[in-house]
Amino acid sequence: MPPERQGAGGPPQGAQHGRPGGASAAPQGDRPAAAAASGAEQRGPVGPGQAAASGQPSAARPGPEGEPQLTGRERLKAGLWPPRLNRAQLIAAVLLFILGLGLAIQVRSTSDSSALRGARQEDLVRILDELDDRSQRLEDEQRRLEGQKTELENSSDQAEEARKQTVEKEQQLGVLAGTVAAEGPGIALTIDDPSRSVEADKLLDTIQELRAAGAEAIQVNDVRVVANTYVSDVRGGVEIDGKRVVQPFRFKVIGKPEDLEPALNIPGGVVQTLEKEQATVSVTRQDKIVVDALRKAERPDYARSSSQ
């Protein structure tokens, strides 16, 4: 019996009478679709390239050589990374970085100088004066150090020159500490107090006024005045550093006479205050004052030199 033919011409023979539970013959307008479905069954399974023709969605289409095509997002990502810079783009990036760095530095320097822009004229003048004074002090210190350097370099025996400078420094410190005698120009101050009305506070004011005027070495009677000197009242007199001193009080002061004498004679100063206490005060300038009262060098109990 010949096989049934199915094609565009119509339904298979024998199907006109129908089948139990089967569908009736397709209308005339639906025959092409049925023929296409029948043709697809005859061709077999649908290949990857035929999925789109059948109306089914596909994640990636094959390329010309069989590779899957990229989606839009994948193509964008592949175009941005890794970056592909040519020489012109690299030079432009470097120039933009330098320009941004310069702008940042300019903004920072402008913000730093904003405080001075808002300052008053008096404040600016004071700042300039302080800078000038500091500059002058630094220049003086530089010249002094350069002089010492020259002496060390030109000396035939640098060790001997260093030893001499060490001895000189030691003598200077000894004068301040009262452990060595000193001499130089200064004044001689004598306070005669027959009524014994001059007490410790008046003598201490005199010492402080002399120090403020630039006194470098002071001696009261036979007592050397140093940084830790104290004055106290005792019965019938005054003690300086625990040693009793009696009137007349004789001060020997080394310093610049032109500064020491006026400091004592200013209106309302030491001389006028002592004269109000019925004391007799005399001040004389001298070219050579000898301060020979000495103090014993005492070693501190706890303080040590930090220099190595």
Side-chain angles (χ1 to χ4, degrees), residues 38 60 69 85 100 112 203 236 259 262 292:
S38 176
Q69 296 183 355
L85 298 178
D112 292 340
L203 294 181
D259 295 337
D292 52 5

Side-chain angles (χ1 to χ4, degrees), residues 181-248:
E183 64 178 27
I187 63 172
L189 169 64
T190 303
I191 302 174
D192 192 2
D193 181 30
S195 61
R196 300 182 185 277
S197 59
V198 176
E199 298 179 347
D201 58 338
K202 301 298 187 297
L203 294 181
L204 182 60
D205 291 341
T206 304
I207 294 173
Q208 297 289 21
E209 189 68 32
L210 291 171
R211 283 176 172 171
E216 297 177 353
I218 303 175
Q219 177 178 332
V220 181
N221 291 1
D222 58 348
V223 180
R224 184 72 170 268
V225 177
V226 292
N228 59 349
T229 293
Y230 64 93
V231 184
S232 58
D233 290 319
V234 295
R235 180 177 298 179
V238 178
E239 287 186 354
I240 299 178
D241 291 338
K243 294 182 179 181
R244 188 181 182 89
V245 292
V246 296
Q247 62 90 24

Side-chain angles (χ1 to χ4, degrees), residues 38-219:
S38 176
E41 291 178 358
Q42 292 179 1
R43 284 193 300 269
V46 179
Q50 299 174 350
S54 62
Q56 299 178 356
S58 174
R61 298 180 180 179
E65 298 180 358
E67 296 180 356
Q69 296 183 355
L70 300 177
T71 62
R73 181 177 297 178
E74 292 176 347
R75 288 196 299 272
L76 178 61
K77 182 178 180 181
L80 294 178
W81 189 263
R84 299 176 179 87
L85 298 178
N86 54 25
R87 183 182 182 88
Q89 292 175 342
L90 182 59
I91 294 175
V94 172
L95 293 178
L96 289 176
F97 173 76
I98 297 175
L99 178 61
L101 182 61
L103 290 176
I105 295 174
Q106 180 67 24
V107 170
R108 183 173 181 180
S109 62
T110 303
S111 62
D112 292 340
S113 61
S114 60
L116 293 178
R117 290 181 179 178
R120 298 178 302 175
Q121 183 176 3
E122 295 80 0
D123 297 335
L124 294 176
V125 172
R126 178 179 55 82
I127 293 173
L128 290 176
D129 291 341
E130 293 177 355
L131 291 177
D132 291 340
D133 294 341
R134 185 180 302 176
S135 177
Q136 184 64 36
R137 289 195 300 269
L138 291 177
E139 290 178 358
D140 294 341
E141 182 68 15
Q142 180 182 3
R143 285 192 292 268
R144 186 183 65 83
L145 294 176
E146 288 178 351
Q148 292 182 357
K149 178 182 177 182
T150 303
E151 291 178 0
L152 291 174
E153 291 177 349
N154 297 336
S155 176
S156 59
D157 190 356
Q158 296 184 0
E160 180 65 20
E161 185 65 27
R163 189 190 66 81
K164 289 172 57 178
Q165 293 184 6
T166 302
V167 172
E168 181 180 356
K169 189 68 174 179
E170 181 182 1
Q171 292 177 352
Q172 294 175 358
L173 295 177
V175 170
L176 297 177
T179 57
V180 297
E183 64 178 27
I187 63 172
L189 169 64
T190 303
I191 302 174
D192 192 2
D193 181 30
S195 61
R196 300 182 185 277
S197 59
V198 176
E199 298 179 347
D201 58 338
K202 301 298 187 297
L203 294 181
L204 182 60
D205 291 341
T206 304
I207 294 173
Q208 297 289 21
E209 189 68 32
L210 291 171
R211 283 176 172 171
E216 297 177 353
I218 303 175
Q219 177 178 332

